[in-house]
Amino acid sequence: MLSLTCPSVDLSQGGCLRLRRARPLWRSRSARSIGARCIVSTAQDVDVRSGGVATSMKPAVSSSGSIQVSSLLEVVSGDIKRLNENLKALIGAENPVLVSAAEQIFGAGGKRLRPALVFLVSRATAQIAGLKELTIQHQRLAEIIEMIHTASLIHDDVIDDSGIRRGKETVHQIYGTRVAVLAGDFMFAQSSWYLANLENIEVIKDFASGEIKQASSLFNCDATLEDYLLKSYYKTASLVAASSKSASIFSRVDTSIGERMYEFGKNLGLSFQVVDDILDFTQSTEQLGKPACSDLSKGILTAPVIFALEKEPTLREFINSEFSEDGSFDTAIELIHQSGGLSRAQELAKQKAEMAIECLECLPESEFRNSLEGIVNYNLQRID
């Protein structure tokens, strides 16, 4: 049976747990030409293209030098359009309330990065195998991944009692907790059924593991960086890693390439999580589309906090008291900023990004590989 999970996860590989000063990405061997690769090729090619149709590509880098995600994903725009059309059919229409709840979050924006990554890896590896077009398994995998991600967001908002998501009211805020939980369960059940048809059902358990690990370590000042990375792997990176590997398997390429795609997805997923955790302290509620500093207020200790605890013993006292004293929460945030916790977390995110890009060296040069590298660098751009 094709497994979406890895039996052993070594998060310390490559010095992940022993922090070293990360080399700038543009100095790494695999990324010397990243500036060029961030610009999507304008070559016309109908083989293994988005929907098999050649399109005129827009630059992935704006005149200001910032990476444009929409341009990075243009090479799979046809795949994403088909995915959006198929999602409603996959959900079904038997229960209008559940469908309406699902559409609330599907329609709340988002870049569809996870299924886009599936399509990009699928097309990059399909080129190696000489496939002219993606298989139905590739397409269904991307749809399932988006359903699982959406279901997890609905449940996350219930667990975190979040009132907004991407600037809109959350499902449980509109329909109530019971309907939100049922909507998430419904989407997990639907995705599980389709996963079973792909002989691929084990990925679901990783989300539960991540949530349990997080819930069992609230306000725990003894949590280590290794604990944080493992929790982040189960909760976030495992889906990206497993789907990247599965996409290559459906392309029927060598298993060594599949393992590299797994490592690419794992490190990209961890980098994204670290960047999200940094932004939680540096952006406003309006910018985030959800309450700022919400993780810390709930006792969820992320990379910036773990690093700050090494320098600020007073921070430990505030967290242990669960911010019971007036003003202690605001003071704790100030200590995190002053301690260098955010800059150390930024180095960790860059380190993971560098490792992700190095994993792409097994792929031939193509606009799909360019976009995969561009997504890695777009993520880091969010904290520049």
Side-chain angles (χ1 to χ4, degrees):
M1 181 176 73
L2 176 63
S3 174
L4 272 177
T5 57
C6 182
S8 62
V9 183
D10 182 7
L11 295 175
S12 63
Q13 184 178 357
C16 301
L17 302 184
R18 182 177 59 82
L19 275 183
R20 57 180 173 81
R21 187 170 184 82
R23 292 175 294 161
L25 287 179
W26 56 86
R27 293 182 184 172
S28 68
R29 180 167 60 89
S30 63
R32 288 173 187 160
S33 59
I34 278 178
R37 288 181 183 169
C38 285
I39 301 178
V40 177
S41 169
T42 58
Q44 298 288 305
D45 182 4
V46 297
D47 286 348
V48 199
R49 290 293 300 265
S50 180
V53 179
T55 56
S56 176
M57 310 312 302
K58 296 179 292 184
V61 180
S62 70
S63 57
S64 65
S66 62
I67 299 172
Q68 304 299 304
V69 177
S70 59
S71 293
L72 291 173
L73 303 188
E74 187 68 25
V75 290
V76 290
S77 61
D79 296 319
I80 295 174
K81 180 180 179 182
R82 190 181 303 114
L83 171 127
N84 289 333
E85 294 169 351
N86 289 345
L87 282 174
K88 290 183 180 180
L90 289 174
I91 294 171
E94 291 81 5
N95 190 313
V97 175
L98 290 178
V99 172
S100 178
E103 287 181 342
Q104 166 67 13
I105 195 163
F106 276 138
K111 300 178 179 65
R112 297 282 194 263
L113 271 181
R114 285 163 183 80
L117 284 167
V118 171
F119 290 133
L120 289 169
V121 173
S122 296
R123 292 193 174 276
T125 53
Q127 284 188 327
I128 300 174
L131 296 180
K132 295 292 185 180
E133 192 47 74
L134 298 187
T135 66
I136 187 64
Q137 288 94 339
H138 285 126
Q139 297 167 8
R140 187 50 51 85
L141 175 65
E143 294 158 4
I144 291 169
I145 293 307
E146 183 65 6
M147 289 178 66
I148 293 174
H149 174 59
T150 301
S152 72
L153 293 183
I154 295 174
H155 281 175
D156 279 353
D157 290 336
V158 172
I159 293 170
D160 298 339
D161 195 24
S162 297
I164 56 174
R165 164 77 64 177
R166 295 169 181 162
K168 292 189 176 183
E169 285 186 293
T170 54
V171 172
H172 86 277
Q173 186 76 11
I174 297 174
Y175 301 100
T177 298
R178 186 170 183 271
V179 170
V181 171
L182 289 173
D185 289 347
F186 173 70
M187 295 187 69
F188 270 128
Q190 288 288 81
S191 59
S192 297
W193 189 85
Y194 288 109
L195 275 172
N197 285 334
L198 290 179
E199 297 185 348
N200 231 326
I201 60 176
E202 295 185 24
V203 70
I204 300 293
K205 71 179 184 181
D206 282 343
F207 278 105
S209 296
E211 292 294 347
I212 292 171
K213 288 177 183 295
Q214 178 168 284
S216 63
S217 61
L218 298 181
F219 297 100
N220 178 17
C221 292
D222 294 320
T224 65
L225 184 61
E226 182 177 12
D227 295 331
Y228 165 78
L229 289 173
L230 188 60
K231 179 198 70 177
S232 297
Y233 166 79
Y234 281 123
K235 189 178 179 184
T236 302
S238 63
L239 183 64
V240 185
S243 58
S244 296
K245 179 179 179 179
S246 295
S248 69
I249 291 174
F250 289 138
S251 294
R252 293 177 172 81
V253 294
D254 188 82
T255 55
S256 63
I257 296 176
E259 291 305 319
R260 297 300 285 170
M261 292 302 95
Y262 182 92
E263 290 298 317
F264 162 76
K266 181 185 77 174
N267 286 295
L268 174 60
L270 290 173
S271 182
F272 256 96
Q273 185 60 60
V274 176
V275 168
D276 280 346
D277 292 338
I278 292 170
L279 293 177
D280 196 42
F281 289 99
T282 61
Q283 290 191 339
S284 65
T285 297
E286 291 72 22
Q287 290 173 307
L288 291 169
K290 63 178 183 178
C293 301
S294 57
D295 281 348
L296 181 61
S297 67
K298 297 178 178 67
I300 301 171
L301 307 191
T302 57
V305 182
I306 292 172
F307 288 131
L309 281 167
E310 296 177 7
K311 298 288 185 66
E312 297 288 349
T314 307
L315 180 60
R316 176 181 290 267
E317 298 175 11
F318 291 145
I319 294 173
N320 284 336
S321 68
E322 300 186 12
F323 311 110
S324 57
E325 297 181 12
D326 290 342
S328 61
F329 183 71
D330 291 337
T331 303
I333 294 174
E334 291 178 9
L335 290 175
I336 292 167
H337 280 269
Q338 295 170 5
S339 67
L342 292 170
S343 61
R344 290 184 65 189
Q346 187 171 5
E347 286 191 10
L348 177 62
K350 289 180 178 179
Q351 190 179 93
K352 295 298 181 184
E354 180 178 301
M355 294 171 71
I357 284 183
E358 288 174 353
C359 290
L360 295 176
E361 291 183 346
C362 65
L363 299 176
E365 289 285 351
S366 70
E367 57 194 353
F368 308 115
R369 173 175 165 175
N370 293 349
S371 289
L372 287 168
E373 292 185 357
I375 289 172
V376 176
N377 286 284
Y378 155 75
N379 177 50
L380 294 181
Q381 177 183 280
R382 297 191 296 152
I383 51 175
D384 283 344

